[in-house]
Structures are given as structure tokens and as C-alpha cells.
Amino acid sequence: MRTEFFLLWASAQAAVAAIRPKNFIMVIPDGMAPASQTLVRTYLSMLNGGSPEAPAINAMPIDETPLGNTRTHSSNNLITDSAAAGTALACGFKTNNGALGVTPDGQALGSILEAAKQDGYLTALVVTSIINHATPAAYSSHSVSRNALPQIAEQQIGYSHPLNQSVDILLGGGRCYFKPQSDSTSCREDDIDLFAYAKDKGYSIAQNRSSFDALSSGRSRITLPYLGLFNDNDLSYEIDRQQQPQAEREPSLSEMTETALQSLDRARQCRGRHCRNRNDKGYFLMIEASRIDHSSHAHDAAAHLHDTLEYNNVMEKLINWIDAHPDTAMLSVADHETGGLTLPGYDPRLLQTPTHSIEYLSSQWDESDKSESYLRSDILPAYGLSDASDAEVQAILGDFSAGLADALSERAGISWSTGGHSGVDTTLYGYAAGRTGEQLKADMAGGFDNTEIPRYIEQALGVNIDRVTRELRAKGTGWIP
Ligand SMILES: *[C@@H]1O[C@H](CO)[C@@H](O)[C@H](O)[C@H]1NC(C)=O
Ligand SMILES: *[C@@H]1O[C@H](CO)[C@@H](O)[C@H](O)[C@H]1NC(C)=O
Ligand SMILES: [Zn+2]
């Protein structure tokens, strides 16, 4: 029995890629629960009628694409953090919570993105958090601590990375880490000006809506590489972003995805002397719906719904893109679950009225006189709680964020079991067109450890992660913050 078990386990370790796509897209909805998808699906269905007592539920596009489950534990904890999980998904190795692109004892681990770059592929990172946050950082930097944010930003654009530039497109938040301390909005404690460095190294830079629009969804003549950061911190939650004035509105994850896809597709076909891709290779693109996780830490059901909905929008766009570009394959999996989200007796219709996240309302509150009348006139309606009871109002005045979160979640029958991450398996989705799609399903149906995901992509693209690891280790460890 023991041997049989071992063989079964061993064969599960080796998901052999029988597909040979030109391009691979990896999508990570950070912290998304299996229940998050149920919530989004039933919410949208009920906007079209039906009730919890008489449900009429329509499947979402990604509901057709689950392949299996992914195990997420890290090397030193049953409950992973985003750094260890990102390292597993990017590098194919377990590490300790907090570590990025290094083993538990601080030795560098090459990533699938770096391996793709070394082999001549184009590469891109598109996220809604700061660009140097754990998940994108795991694909593009190496640090014993995820908190070394200024140093991670340096590595991501090749300022202090042994392989120099590995990322052709970076889109997300985190502007403040790229500005020298002399700038009042900087998050650095030194004079390094990473925007100036990037520009000098040939990156085009976008820092606002008008420069993003100038990229014309990737159809413009703007060449790679480019760096687009649209908030000093994380990008806004989708629910808040939609309310921003058009001229200053941050790009959505869908818009950034569209821009990256168009740019990569154009650059891939570029054959001139000025082109970055002369090897007729494709691209590796990692997209992260980063802030699903933040909404779950905050138990903000409204922000959670809209960021998970936007992840679904991106996935639908990708499925359509792949149908039109059948040389492209995609996998998507959450790095872990956050919040212990469950739906015991819920009614998603109650999430229809909020127009802002708790994060946004907290900043409004902090700038106000914090009076009960302001709470009742402005805050409560914006979070769908116009008819709040006296007990709810007192709870919110006592603890603003938790009070709002608990009131809405309780009314909607949505339950959170932790303020942190949980250990449950996450859903593995995947899509490719035609025969490649059938083969992807045959290859990846089942249960996988998170470390197996990049190994599959590695085989599919025919690149070599371990060779990058050897190259990085040849430089010692002095460069690893
Ligand atoms: C990185 O850039 C340095 C300085 O220009 C150069 O000496 C080195 O060979 C480059 N490394 C790689 C891997 O391209
Ligand atoms: C947007 O950024 C560009 C390029 O840095 C700058 O010229 C322009 O003034 C900015 N627009 C706004 C509205 O801040
Ligand atoms: Zn995470």
C-alpha cells in the first residue's frame, strides 16, 4: 500500500506538459476563496431576478474552466503568506513565509518569468497592488524579506538584479518606491530615482490616466519596455475606482490587461532591428487581481465583490483573447484563501447599494468632524446602511472599520472566520483553445501542489528555471536584501 501511495504521489508530482503554446498567461486572484466565486455568480444572477428562495443562477465564463485544486501550505506554516505562495507559483519551490524568490536559507531561486526572459520571451507583470508587492515581486526579485520594498523595486527594473532587466511591461501601483526621498511623496530613504534610471535604460514611463491612454491599449507605437504606475500606493479598489473623475481615473485591471496583451502581441510580431523580440518567441504574462486579498483581510464584502467581479471580467477577456489567439494558454489559481469566507444563509442582493469601500470611507471619516450626523448623512448611505440601527451606529462609532464591515456582512449573511489567511485549497482554472485546450485539461485535471504550476509552464514554454537559479547563485548572496 505504501509503495502504491508513493507512486501515485510521485506521478502527481510530474504533470508533464503535452502542450506547446507560444504564449503563457498566469492569473492570480490573491486571496480569493472558492466562496468568492459563488458570491459573484449569485450576485450577478440575482441582479437579473430570482431570490434566495427561488434562485435562477447563470454560470460565469470561468465557471466552465476549473481544472482542480491547489495545495498552498508553505515550508514553515500550514497557512502560507503571499511571499511564500508567490515563490511557489513563480519558482516551483516551497519557502518560508515572508521570503521571496529564495530558499528558507536565503539561496536565490530562478523564476518562470526570468527563465522565459533568458530564453528570449517577452515578459509582463500587471497588478492592482504596488508593483513590488509579494506576488509580482516573487516573479521578478529575490529577497529574504518581502518588506524590503525599495530594494525589490530596484531589482524589478534591473537596477540591482544580476540578470539586469527581466520585465518588459510593469503595470500597477507603487509609484512612491520609484521616487527619490527629496520628493514629498516618496517612500524611499535614499536618493535613488528609479523613474530616472528606468527612463535612462529605455523604459517609457506612465504615471497617470493621460499617459496610460497614450499607450492606446497597446496599439500605439510605444515600444517596450514600459513602466506604468498609477498610484503612489496600491491602486484603488474597483468599487472606488469606478467613482473617480474620468480624467484622473486609474486604469482598471481589465484595461491594463488589454494594453499589455496588445503591446505583447505587437512586439512579438516586430521583426525590425529596433525590436526586442527577434527570436520569434512568444510571451509570459502574469496578471494579479491583488486586492481581493486586502478586501478579505478587512472583511469588506462590498469591495470584495467588486474586485472579484473585475477578476472575472479579466478572465472573460482572456478567454476571448485566447479563442482569437489559439497559440496562447492560461492557468489561474489563488495563492491562498483569505478571511475564511463562507456563505451560510446569505443574500447577495444586499451588496447592491454600497458605492465605496471601507478603506475609502475611512479616509473620508478621518478628514471629517467624526460626528454622528456626518456618519448618518454621508457614510452609512455610501456603504448601503442608510437604515442602520442605533446598535449598528454605536458599533461603527466605537470601531469605524470593523463596525461597517460587520454590519454589512451580518445583514448579507456573509461570514468571515479569520482576519488572516486560511489553509483551504484554492481552485485551479485553466483555458486554451481547441486541441491545446483539451490537452491542457488532460494534463492539469486534478490536485496539485502550488510548486507544480510553474514547472508545468516551464515545460510548456520549453524554458529552464534551474539554469536561471544556477546563474543567480553564481553571483553569491551579497546582492540579496
Ligand atoms: C548586466 O549589465 C552589466 C552592466 O552593463 C553587464 O556587465 C552584465 O553582463 C549584464 N548581465 C547580463 C546577464 O546581461
Ligand atoms: C501626466 O503625466 C505626464 C507625463 O509625466 C505629464 O506631462 C502630465 O502633465 C500629467 N498629467 C496630469 C493631469 O497630471
Ligand atoms: Zn496572497
Side-chain angles (χ1 to χ4, degrees):
M1 283 313 277
R2 254 190 111 78
T3 322
E4 220 170 289
F5 174 78
F6 177 76
L7 286 176
L8 198 65
W9 179 80
S11 70
Q13 287 291 300
V16 176
I19 62 170
R20 285 286 175 274
K22 200 108 184 164
N23 315 300
F24 216 108
I25 303 172
M26 179 74 197
V27 193
I28 301 179
D30 196 312
M32 180 171 156
S36 307
Q37 185 61 16
T38 314
L39 182 65
V40 164
R41 179 193 314 126
T42 52
Y43 172 81
L44 281 189
S45 294
M46 284 189 188
L47 289 189
N48 293 324
S51 68
E53 295 75 31
I57 305 303
N58 299 312
M60 306 281 291
I62 68 165
D63 290 331
E64 315 286 338
T65 68
L67 299 174
N69 283 334
T70 303
R71 304 183 284 277
T72 67
H73 62 280
S74 71
S75 62
N76 68 341
N77 206 309
L78 282 175
I79 314 298
T80 190
D81 82 327
S82 292
T87 302
L89 291 171
C91 307
F93 280 95
K94 295 285 190 195
T95 193
N96 289 348
N97 284 2
L100 279 176
V102 295
T103 58
D105 62 354
Q107 302 294 314
L109 292 166
S111 77
I112 180 67
L113 180 144
E114 291 163 343
K117 187 69 206 172
Q118 289 299 94
D119 241 334
Y121 287 82
L122 298 166
T123 59
L125 296 173
V126 175
V127 306
T128 49
S129 60
I130 55 175
I131 193 73
N132 44 349
H133 194 252
T135 308
Y139 284 85
S140 53
S141 72
H142 307 270
S143 172
V144 294
S145 167
R146 61 183 288 176
N147 298 326
L149 291 166
Q151 292 73 36
I152 290 167
E154 291 164 24
Q155 289 189 20
Q156 289 181 301
I157 55 167
Y159 177 90
S160 55
H161 192 299
L163 304 178
N164 302 334
Q165 289 178 24
S166 282
V167 199
D168 295 303
I169 297 176
L170 302 105
L171 292 174
R175 272 188 320 229
C176 75
Y177 297 97
F178 290 73
K179 301 177 194 172
Q181 62 179 350
S182 55
D183 188 303
S184 63
T185 57
S186 170
C187 304
R188 300 191 67 91
E189 290 172 356
D190 56 36
D191 299 320
I192 299 173
D193 182 342
L194 290 180
F195 278 124
Y197 175 84
K199 207 166 168 205
D200 189 51
K201 292 291 172 189
Y203 282 86
S204 301
I205 312 279
Q207 298 190 49
N208 58 31
R209 166 54 69 172
S210 51
S211 348
F212 176 76
D213 287 345
L215 299 172
S216 315
S217 298
R219 291 182 192 87
S220 73
R221 300 201 65 81
I222 289 186
T223 51
L224 305 188
Y226 62 77
L227 167 67
L229 304 179
F230 307 103
N231 194 308
D232 280 319
N233 210 305
D234 296 319
L235 297 186
S236 298
Y237 282 121
E238 180 60 20
I239 191 173
D240 300 321
R241 193 196 69 81
Q242 289 175 6
Q243 311 285 340
Q244 292 168 346
Q246 181 65 47
E248 296 156 28
R249 195 174 293 172
E250 296 165 12
S252 67
L253 192 60
S254 301
E255 288 177 295
M256 294 190 293
T257 296
E258 171 76 16
T259 296
L261 285 172
Q262 296 288 356
S263 306
L264 291 166
D265 198 47
R266 263 184 73 106
R268 210 194 100 181
Q269 290 165 35
C270 183
R271 292 283 174 274
R273 235 180 335 126
H274 64 289
C275 298
R276 280 179 81 76
N277 181 34
R278 273 166 252 145
N279 313 312
D280 195 28
K281 287 280 172 77
Y283 56 81
F284 173 78
L285 162 63
M286 195 286 289
I287 301 165
E288 185 192 34
S290 317
R291 304 206 65 201
I292 295 173
D293 171 72
H294 301 171
S295 67
S296 299
H297 280 291
H299 297 178
D300 185 339
H304 186 80
L305 174 81
H306 289 279
D307 266 46
T308 309
L309 192 51
E310 179 60 5
Y311 160 71
N312 272 264
N313 293 338
V314 167
M315 291 291 281
E316 181 174 7
K317 180 182 279 293
L318 292 173
I319 289 169
N320 293 333
W321 174 272
I322 290 170
D323 283 337
H325 302 81
D327 55 357
T328 307
M330 165 175 76
L331 287 175
S332 176
V333 70
D335 53 343
H336 53 80
E337 196 270 359
T338 304
L341 173 64
T342 56
L343 307 171
Y346 72 113
D347 184 345
R349 292 173 302 182
L350 283 137
L351 301 182
Q352 215 178 319
T353 30
T355 52
H356 277 296
S357 70
I358 296 173
E359 177 181 87
Y360 176 89
L361 295 173
S362 284
S363 66
Q364 297 293 103
W365 181 244
D366 287 340
E367 286 166 22
S368 75
D369 61 358
K370 301 197 175 181
S371 65
E372 185 172 328
S373 66
Y374 176 72
L375 181 70
R376 287 186 184 276
S377 65
D378 286 67
I379 299 285
L380 295 178
Y383 203 59
L385 299 168
S386 295
D387 60 342
S389 68
D390 285 340
E392 284 171 328
V393 168
Q394 288 316 310
I396 294 163
L397 288 171
D399 183 337
F400 185 85
S401 296
L404 284 176
D406 292 349
L408 185 66
S409 291
E410 243 164 67
R411 284 163 174 239
I414 290 167
S415 190
W416 307 92
S417 64
T418 172
H421 298 174
S422 83
V424 301
D425 292 357
T426 55
T427 308
L428 175 66
Y429 297 96
Y431 190 74
R435 286 241 177 101
T436 307
E438 292 312 310
Q439 193 57 55
L440 176 70
K441 282 184 198 163
D443 289 349
M444 291 305 280
F448 293 92
D449 188 80
N450 52 6
T451 53
E452 295 175 74
I453 306 297
R455 293 299 179 181
Y456 182 76
I457 303 173
E458 179 185 29
Q459 290 177 36
L461 291 180
V463 301
N464 191 332
I465 296 176
D466 295 338
R467 197 172 67 213
V468 176
T469 299
R470 284 193 296 276
E471 206 165 319
L472 291 173
R473 290 190 186 180
K475 309 279 179 188
T477 54
W479 59 278
I480 300 175

